[in-house]
Amino acid sequence: MAQPEWMSIFQIKTNDLPEEDSWRLQFDDNIVPDSPNSGWKQYIRNTSAWFKCTSCGRGWPSNKVMVLFNMRLTKWEGVVKVRAFRQNCKKCSAAPMEKPTITPENIDILLENLMKKIRIKCYHEDLGEAQTPYQTLEVKSPHEPAHCEACIAGYCSQSS
């Protein structure tokens, strides 16, 4: 994932949160769904992304990319941990799990929806449950649980 892009969009989005609080974004591949540490809140969304196999160079789109956020606000300091789940190539044997490349538009949508969740879960605002939908990609084959990190670990809603 292009972390600088995430960081710059995140900083812009946090301008709408109370100005006495500072927020930072961390990438953490160790967070897992439904297991936030004490005091942390969870938010999970799917988005679209592209993947590219580092073994054979094959690329593929997916509209089932799970992104997990854990958030916490303590004494004017907010932290958001983010993990985008990986996929691997169905053509290569023993293919490595590849990180998704999410478009700037979908990063913006993910972080806009995250800001709403922060305002609901950390500031106890009543904003309703409306979410901005992500921009889908043209995908020619169905989601393949055997090649999805979230499915393999039992987290993906598509694994059933």
Side-chain angles (χ1 to χ4, degrees):
M1 285 190 307
Q3 293 184 1
E5 198 154 28
W6 281 79
M7 297 295 193
S8 63
I9 294 171
F10 181 80
Q11 288 307 315
I12 292 166
K13 298 289 184 191
T14 59
N15 289 336
D16 292 336
L17 298 175
E19 60 186 59
E20 65 270 8
D21 298 330
S22 66
W23 283 85
R24 61 190 163 90
L25 185 68
Q26 299 175 340
F27 291 86
D28 186 342
D29 288 337
N30 296 313
I31 59 174
V32 295
D34 303 323
S35 299
N37 289 335
S38 180
W40 290 79
K41 312 284 189 216
Q42 172 180 278
Y43 175 55
I44 299 174
R45 285 292 286 172
N46 274 340
T47 193
S48 295
W50 276 91
F51 293 87
K52 185 172 179 109
C53 180
T54 53
S55 294
C56 72
R58 176 182 167 267
W60 67 95
S62 175
N63 288 320
K64 305 292 183 190
V65 180
M66 184 177 183
V67 181
L68 170 65
F69 299 96
N70 283 352
M71 64 197 94
R72 178 180 71 181
L73 176 63
T74 55
K75 293 194 180 189
W76 306 287
E77 182 179 56
V79 178
V80 174
K81 293 181 179 184
V82 61
R83 176 184 182 183
F85 285 82
R86 303 171 301 168
Q87 294 182 11
N88 68 6
C89 182
K90 67 181 181 181
K91 305 280 187 200
C92 295
S93 60
M97 285 288 177
E98 306 292 354
K99 292 186 178 211
T101 300
I102 301 171
T103 64
E105 294 80 14
N106 277 335
I107 294 171
D108 189 79
I109 291 166
L110 279 167
L111 295 179
E112 184 65 32
N113 287 329
L114 173 66
M115 291 305 123
K116 291 175 191 170
K117 285 298 177 186
I118 287 173
R119 292 175 62 192
I120 291 167
K121 293 183 178 211
C122 297
Y123 295 103
H124 311 291
E125 294 181 27
D126 183 4
L127 301 176
E129 290 298 318
Q131 302 278 335
T132 303
Y134 60 89
Q135 296 178 353
T136 59
L137 299 170
E138 184 179 335
V139 176
K140 292 182 168 63
S141 59
H143 184 67
E144 299 195 29
H147 300 282
C148 171
E149 182 181 43
C151 289
I152 291 167
Y155 306 134
C156 187
S157 61
Q158 297 295 310
S159 60
S160 50

